[in-house]
Amino acid sequence: HMASARTVIRSLGGIGACNSFTRIYLSIFGQSDWEDCPAVPPEIVLLPDWFPFHIYRMSAWSRTIVVPLSILWAFKPRCPVPDAARLDELRLDSPAPEARPSVGTRERLWRRFFVILDRTVKLAERSPWKPFRRRALAAAEAWVLAHLEKSGGLGAIFPPIVNTILAMRCLGYPMEHPALVSQIEELERLELEEDGALRIQPCFSPVWDTALALLALKESGLSEDDPDLLRGAAWLVDREVRSVGDWRYSAPGVSPGGWFFEYENEFYPDADDTAEVLAALAEVRFPDPRAEERRRAAVERGVAWQLGMQNPDGGWAAFDRLCDNEVLTWIPFADHNAMIDPSCEDITGRTLDALRRLNRREHPAVARGIAFLAGKQEADGTWYGRWGCNYIYGTWLALRGLESAGVDLSAERWQGAAHWLRQRQNPDGGWGELPRSYDDPSTKGMGPSTPSQTAWALMALLSAGHARSDTAERGAAYLLSQQLQDGSWKDASSTGTGFPKVFYLRYHLYATYFPLWALSLYDRARRLPWRRQIAERHRMRHSRAADFEETTP
């Protein structure tokens, strides 16, 4: 596997082609030069709120990565490795010229500006006179420490946790300092040791998984007061955010509410998790009046927070409002492709579904959400999937949201999405899409079948009214054929998305609760017309009997 990795790395340009964050880590170990790393000066923490490049104009995940990273860049630590551990074999003798896509005049001018700014900052860095450095380092340190409160590590995700550990060591924190010990423990919690190998997962996803599992179980026929559902719902209610986080900078008038992704991450509730938790809590009822009141109160606060996070374009982003300044994506250290957090088709569709379950279909936010989705539909009928791979995911959630909002999906434009899904069905009856569709949209909807993506496609077809089609029947048959002996399913590839074009995820439970959910909906949709016919016959029989009773002495 190491030889295979070496071949791939060299084919992609070797060390010289790695992104900025990787280059900084390599520089720490003497495998790259700090001069080749983009400038990330800690003084950015001191920029005023109105400044275009203030840290609160970055996406939440970039913010948590960049602030401790700026401390690293200021100290430029070095930890040389022995010659046997050097990576010289990954260097190319004559690096291939970097392929640059054609860009517009605006982007070209901004990129040129940032290159000049980067060189200017590096030139100033050579001077011993740095009037704001001490203050900037103190501000960055204070920001990091404050954000460790009620958090499973900074941002509760791997990159900021690692950067925080290294930054604290640069600042002179002893290994036994409680703050440093806590971050090392959070890093160790992410370790997975299996089959003699140690892997690091990027984060935990318990809130997300619990909400989705509850909905799948409820759709499969459990009652609203089923004890297992209530245990999961109570666990979610306990994790409601009740304090102000970073989102307040973009939504100053909004009160705390919502849910985060991990076990603990109070500063960063997100609209995706909040929508799914709201949908799950809408489907349960606690027999105990006090527990039921807690559920209702949490839901009301969550709805208010979610509505307050809607963007002016009608869509919902993940963590912040108005975080869509494209200029930030052209900063030299922004090559992780995630500097901004614009409105997403998938989150918007999910939110519309949650509002329907909570009887908020008539709220003005719903009409704005419909307009956003209508404007984002692509020519072939699909929608982009930001947080799942990719157009299958986005198309499912867009159709689900539109159906929930009361849109008549029999219109030709919406049926175009169903037509696209039918065209992308694999011969085995399933659907699949590889992450390469983010780089090359011509491959959208193409890939080996997976249970989770097949479930998304099947649920999309159900929303579009194709429950009794051969396409849906073959999709359901594929899921039935792939179920394992223990009742679960398994995806052979990653179907979740971290950063498009950069980082992808495998949610192991995706391959279980999504197929269960899809098959439950399919079963209900197939039987619903017959149930309606039986109910209508029953009503007519009773109506005729009543007429007879009225006219017979």
Side-chain angles (χ1 to χ4, degrees), residues 267-542:
F267 277 92
Y268 298 106
D270 68 273
D272 214 7
D273 280 276
T274 298
E276 205 62 37
V277 171
L278 289 173
L281 293 181
E283 298 296 328
V284 300
R285 296 294 181 273
F286 288 91
D288 177 45
R290 288 177 297 179
E292 178 61 14
E293 179 53 35
R294 286 192 68 218
R295 182 197 70 84
R296 288 178 180 273
V299 166
E300 288 304 313
R301 287 188 293 267
V303 169
W305 185 83
Q306 188 82 354
L307 292 173
M309 296 301 290
Q310 188 176 29
N311 277 319
D313 63 7
W316 276 267
F319 291 92
D320 294 293
R321 293 180 72 252
L322 301 169
C323 185
D324 56 2
N325 184 2
E326 189 181 27
V327 170
L328 291 174
T329 66
W330 303 325
I331 294 175
F333 62 77
D335 52 5
H336 62 303
N337 197 38
M339 279 292 285
I340 57 176
D341 184 11
S343 295
C344 302
E345 294 91 314
D346 41 18
I347 299 178
T348 302
R350 178 171 278 113
T351 299
L352 294 180
D353 179 67
L355 292 174
R356 185 266 302 175
R357 293 175 187 268
L358 293 164
N359 298 315
R360 302 296 210 285
R361 186 185 277 182
E362 303 305 319
H363 194 282
V366 172
R368 295 196 296 270
I370 294 171
F372 171 80
L373 289 176
K376 287 293 184 177
Q377 189 180 23
E378 302 197 2
D380 59 2
T382 60
W383 284 268
Y384 179 82
R386 166 60 182 85
W387 295 99
C389 187
N390 171 358
Y391 290 91
I392 294 176
Y393 184 77
T395 300
W396 160 51
L397 286 169
L399 288 176
R400 173 183 161 194
L402 291 168
E403 179 195 22
S404 297
V407 175
D408 180 5
L409 296 184
S410 65
E412 183 177 353
R413 66 173 302 178
W414 313 124
Q415 287 300 307
H419 175 73
W420 179 83
L421 286 166
R422 292 197 301 271
Q423 295 296 311
R424 290 297 182 270
Q425 188 173 31
N426 287 327
D428 61 8
W431 282 265
E433 182 172 358
L434 295 172
R436 71 165 61 104
S437 64
Y438 287 104
D439 299 278
D440 181 6
S442 69
T443 65
K444 61 167 62 174
M446 298 180 184
S449 298
T450 65
S452 60
Q453 290 170 321
T454 299
W456 300 340
L458 179 57
M459 287 190 283
L461 289 171
L462 296 179
S463 290
H466 292 261
R468 305 191 72 81
S469 66
D470 291 341
T471 306
E473 184 175 353
R474 291 175 59 223
Y478 169 83
L479 291 177
L480 293 173
S481 71
Q482 296 298 307
Q483 189 178 26
L484 302 177
Q485 195 66 33
D486 64 359
S488 68
W489 287 262
K490 184 177 181 179
D491 283 337
S493 59
S494 298
T495 61
T497 305
F499 303 154
K501 303 181 182 181
V502 175
F503 173 53
Y504 302 99
L505 302 164
R506 179 182 297 183
Y507 294 86
H508 289 79
L509 285 177
Y510 270 22
T512 296
Y513 47 63
F514 282 126
L516 172 62
W517 190 348
L519 287 171
S520 300
L521 293 180
Y522 175 75
D523 180 58
R524 187 181 313 149
R526 291 277 292 190
R527 289 186 288 124
L528 189 58
W530 302 105
R531 286 180 174 175
R532 283 178 178 163
Q533 289 179 25
I534 293 171
E536 180 65 17
R537 290 171 186 164
H538 185 70
R539 187 192 65 78
M540 290 178 66
R541 280 200 300 269
H542 278 270

Side-chain angles (χ1 to χ4, degrees), residues 9 13-38 69 72 76-82 85-91 162-163 166:
I9 291 170
I15 281 181
C18 67
N19 66 23
S20 300
F21 294 162
T22 305
R23 189 171 290 120
I24 287 174
Y25 294 141
L26 289 174
S27 297
I28 293 175
F29 292 102
Q31 305 306 293
S32 189
D33 196 309
W34 277 103
E35 278 298 311
D36 295 333
C37 301
L69 189 67
L72 280 179
K76 297 180 177 61
R78 293 185 65 84
C79 178
V81 298
R86 292 185 59 83
L87 302 178
D88 295 327
E89 62 189 304
L90 299 181
R91 303 181 193 281
V162 170
N163 290 350
L166 298 176

Side-chain angles (χ1 to χ4, degrees), residues 136-175:
L137 286 172
E141 179 185 7
W143 189 94
V144 169
L145 291 176
H147 283 72
L148 298 185
E149 295 293 325
K150 298 181 180 179
S151 172
L154 183 62
I157 53 176
F158 170 78
I161 294 173
V162 170
N163 290 350
T164 297
I165 293 171
L166 298 176
M168 285 181 167
R169 294 296 288 154
C170 288
L171 291 168
Y173 281 68
M175 290 298 295

Side-chain angles (χ1 to χ4, degrees), residues 80-317:
V81 298
D83 288 344
R86 292 185 59 83
L87 302 178
D88 295 327
E89 62 189 304
L90 299 181
R91 303 181 193 281
L92 301 185
D93 296 331
S94 53
E98 184 179 352
R100 292 186 176 275
S102 57
V103 297
T105 302
R106 179 170 175 265
E107 179 178 348
R108 187 166 57 251
L109 291 175
W110 273 111
R111 286 190 181 277
R112 183 61 181 166
F113 166 78
F114 285 127
V115 167
I116 294 172
L117 181 61
D118 183 77
R119 291 173 181 170
T120 303
V121 170
K122 289 178 179 176
L123 188 63
E125 191 69 14
R126 297 172 186 169
S127 169
W129 187 67
K130 301 180 181 67
F132 301 106
R133 179 56 51 88
R134 182 175 298 179
R135 181 183 164 199
L137 286 172
E141 179 185 7
W143 189 94
V144 169
L145 291 176
H147 283 72
L148 298 185
E149 295 293 325
K150 298 181 180 179
S151 172
L154 183 62
I157 53 176
F158 170 78
I161 294 173
V162 170
N163 290 350
T164 297
I165 293 171
L166 298 176
M168 285 181 167
R169 294 296 288 154
C170 288
L171 291 168
Y173 281 68
M175 290 298 295
E176 63 273 13
H177 191 282
L180 181 55
V181 169
S182 72
Q183 297 310 288
I184 293 173
E185 290 176 348
E186 294 297 345
L187 177 61
E188 290 174 341
R189 288 179 67 207
L190 296 174
E191 294 177 356
L192 290 174
E193 193 166 358
E194 297 175 335
D195 302 324
L198 182 69
R199 295 184 291 118
I200 305 293
Q201 54 189 323
C203 60
F204 299 110
S205 56
V207 170
W208 181 243
D209 286 321
T210 301
L212 286 163
L214 288 180
L215 275 172
L217 289 169
K218 178 62 172 61
E219 295 289 2
S220 70
L222 296 188
S223 63
E224 63 182 16
D225 60 352
D226 180 272
D228 289 328
L229 293 188
L230 295 184
R231 286 177 59 217
W235 188 88
L236 289 174
V237 170
D238 288 342
R239 274 142 192 86
E240 180 199 2
V241 171
R242 297 300 302 275
S243 58
V244 171
D246 283 9
W247 50 269
R248 175 59 66 86
Y249 284 84
S250 61
V254 177
S255 298
W259 282 264
F260 41 77
F261 184 72
E262 304 87 353
Y263 286 105
E264 190 179 20
N265 196 9
E266 191 82 3
F267 277 92
Y268 298 106
D270 68 273
D272 214 7
D273 280 276
T274 298
E276 205 62 37
V277 171
L278 289 173
L281 293 181
E283 298 296 328
V284 300
R285 296 294 181 273
F286 288 91
D288 177 45
R290 288 177 297 179
E292 178 61 14
E293 179 53 35
R294 286 192 68 218
R295 182 197 70 84
R296 288 178 180 273
V299 166
E300 288 304 313
R301 287 188 293 267
V303 169
W305 185 83
Q306 188 82 354
L307 292 173
M309 296 301 290
Q310 188 176 29
N311 277 319
D313 63 7
W316 276 267

